[in-house]
Amino acid sequence: MDSTRRERATLALAVWGVLVSQVLLYPGVSDLVTALGGGQGEYDLSAGMLFLVAEFASFVAFSSVWGALSDALGRRTWLIVAGALGGAASYVALLALATLPWLDATFGAVLAVRLVGGAMTIGAFSLSITMLADLSGGNGRNMGAAGIAIGLGAALGSVVGGQLTTIDPLAPLYASAAALTAVALLVTTVTDRTPDSTRVGVGVVLKKLAARPAFAVPYAFGFIDRMTAGFFALVGVYYFRETFGANAAVAGGVLALFFVPFALLQYPLGSLSDRVGRFVPVVAGSMLYGVAIIAVGLAPVFELAAGLMVVVGVFGALVAPATMALVTDLAEPGERGAALGGFNVFGSLGFLAGFLVGGVVADAVGYLPSFLVVGFAEVAIAVVALRAVKRLDGIGAAQTPSSAD
């Protein structure tokens, strides 16, 4: 294995580890929130929403900061290490809070720790993806590697997290801290290949991005795509648990039905977008993805709803790597850190929207309307941005894999 492939695999493994640490908490979030002193009942959607929103609020605030800082310093590796260790420490802090005798009064502190942990974890996540973008071999292939890592990390995290929750609601916190510590150790083996041209001031990089409105296209798709992911992470879990009586382990398995095909198809479909361009994967994929989401909410029985999660994963895999690749197509090498940081800002805003919009709609009028809102949003962005994506098409197709890969 040559150095590029080895480093691609290592960085993908780092992305995978960050996602495992994050998703371990999702299947049993209602149990975990109760164990940490929050919630008014087993299916208190608002408490679970606050717990997840706190982390992603920091993702939004700090994603572009990490990216622009790495571009300005010309270094990424040790920033990733710092972010991963900081995230691990936040999980340890939650475990410490859970031991306090005045547990009922600590949920505010829990949310504060989640804010700090999110600020650190997004550095490890965003910059690992940026280091993948720095590699040669085709943007679609590199982003496909990131996508498959994200999908497999989420798949394993959802299954293992659900199983751990049935043993102890706090058990996922131990596993998350261990996963992020392993990520920090792993990334130290990767050569820092940040382009020399990135060593400019943070303000200069951000001004360049502000002058490139074309980034609004993949950012908008990233927002909506991540909104659907946030929706399933919160509302989807509560939906399967409350509507069909699934426990945390079963809910984790259902999430895996989405994440496994989403992961396994990321790399080949990312490579496909290098050959055929970004238009069909992004636009057609988004439309089919939205329809599949609505179908899950309409399914009358558990077996059908769970099976449709596989279909959602397939269409999600068509969209995700092509969208991320479009960001790197548009960015100069010295802008990639801030460009992907900006993409993750919009993605994190999407997660927040998925939590908030999905949670509020489901709480107010029921689960089906929330599925309709999120599914139609995915279809709508494809229709509205169709011409814009068409204008940018061809940029991605021009990013062909190099022979050195």
Side-chain angles (χ1 to χ4, degrees):
M1 181 184 292
D2 64 28
S3 61
T4 299
R5 290 181 179 177
R6 182 173 59 253
E7 292 187 1
R8 180 184 293 124
T10 301
L11 290 167
L13 191 59
V15 173
W16 173 85
V18 175
L19 261 292
V20 168
S21 73
Q22 184 180 350
V23 179
L24 280 167
L25 277 57
Y26 290 173
V29 64
S30 60
D31 308 82
L32 178 59
V33 164
T34 300
L36 291 171
Q40 301 299 320
E42 184 179 6
Y43 299 117
D44 186 346
L45 190 58
S46 61
M49 180 175 66
L50 286 174
F51 185 78
L52 298 183
V53 163
E55 180 183 48
F56 277 91
S58 285
F59 282 10
V60 172
F62 288 93
S63 179
S64 61
V65 173
W66 285 98
L69 179 62
S70 75
D71 283 345
L73 295 176
R75 296 289 185 270
R76 310 210 201 279
T77 300
W78 291 104
L79 292 175
I80 295 173
V81 171
L85 292 178
S90 75
Y91 290 118
V92 174
L94 291 177
L95 287 165
L97 288 173
T99 66
L100 295 178
W102 52 88
L103 183 62
D104 291 344
T106 62
F107 195 61
V110 166
L111 296 180
V113 170
R114 290 285 284 172
L115 286 168
V116 175
M120 302 303 293
T121 304
I122 191 59
F125 177 73
S126 179
L127 294 183
S128 293
I129 293 178
T130 301
M131 287 189 74
L132 276 168
D134 290 335
L135 298 175
S136 61
N139 290 335
R141 181 171 296 179
N142 292 330
M143 293 302 97
I148 195 170
I150 290 169
L152 287 177
L156 181 66
S158 61
V159 173
V160 174
Q163 295 290 341
L164 289 174
T165 298
T166 62
I167 299 171
D168 182 349
L170 297 176
L173 296 177
Y174 290 96
S176 295
L180 284 178
T181 301
V183 168
L185 294 173
L186 181 67
V187 171
T188 61
T189 67
V190 179
T191 302
D192 206 327
R193 298 178 180 273
T194 309
D196 290 338
S197 60
T198 63
R199 299 182 186 181
V200 296
V202 172
V204 173
V205 174
L206 296 180
K207 286 179 181 178
K208 287 182 179 179
L209 295 181
R212 298 286 301 280
F215 281 116
V217 176
Y219 285 4
F221 277 95
F223 174 88
I224 298 296
D225 294 344
R226 299 279 187 91
M227 182 177 76
T228 63
F231 171 81
F232 277 113
L234 176 67
V235 178
V237 168
Y238 277 82
Y239 168 71
F240 279 101
R241 295 195 65 177
E242 186 173 1
T243 303
F244 300 112
N247 62 21
V250 173
V254 170
L255 284 181
L257 291 176
F258 162 72
F259 286 123
V260 169
F262 180 82
L264 295 179
L265 294 174
Q266 287 275 317
Y267 194 87
L269 293 179
S271 296
L272 175 67
S273 76
D274 282 337
R275 295 193 298 271
V276 305
R278 316 303 184 197
F279 178 77
V280 172
V282 171
V283 173
S286 292
M287 291 181 179
L288 294 170
Y289 186 39
V291 170
I293 290 168
I294 294 170
V296 173
L298 291 170
V301 296
F302 172 80
E303 291 78 10
L304 180 58
L308 285 168
M309 291 291 283
V310 178
V311 179
V312 174
V314 171
F315 292 135
L318 185 60
V319 179
T323 305
M324 285 192 290
L326 188 55
V327 176
T328 53
D329 293 342
L330 295 172
E332 298 295 331
E335 297 175 337
R336 283 176 182 158
L340 284 168
F343 180 79
N344 282 316
V345 167
F346 277 83
S348 296
L349 283 170
F351 261 106
L352 281 173
F355 296 149
L356 294 171
V357 175
V360 169
V361 174
D363 214 19
V365 293
Y367 287 114
L368 178 57
S370 66
F371 276 90
L372 292 173
V373 168
V374 173
F376 278 122
E378 189 71 41
V379 174
I381 187 62
V383 173
V384 170
L386 188 151
R387 290 185 178 178
V389 178
K390 187 65 176 177
R391 285 197 300 270
L392 298 175
D393 194 28
I395 297 176
Q399 305 290 326
T400 56
S402 69
S403 59
D405 185 56

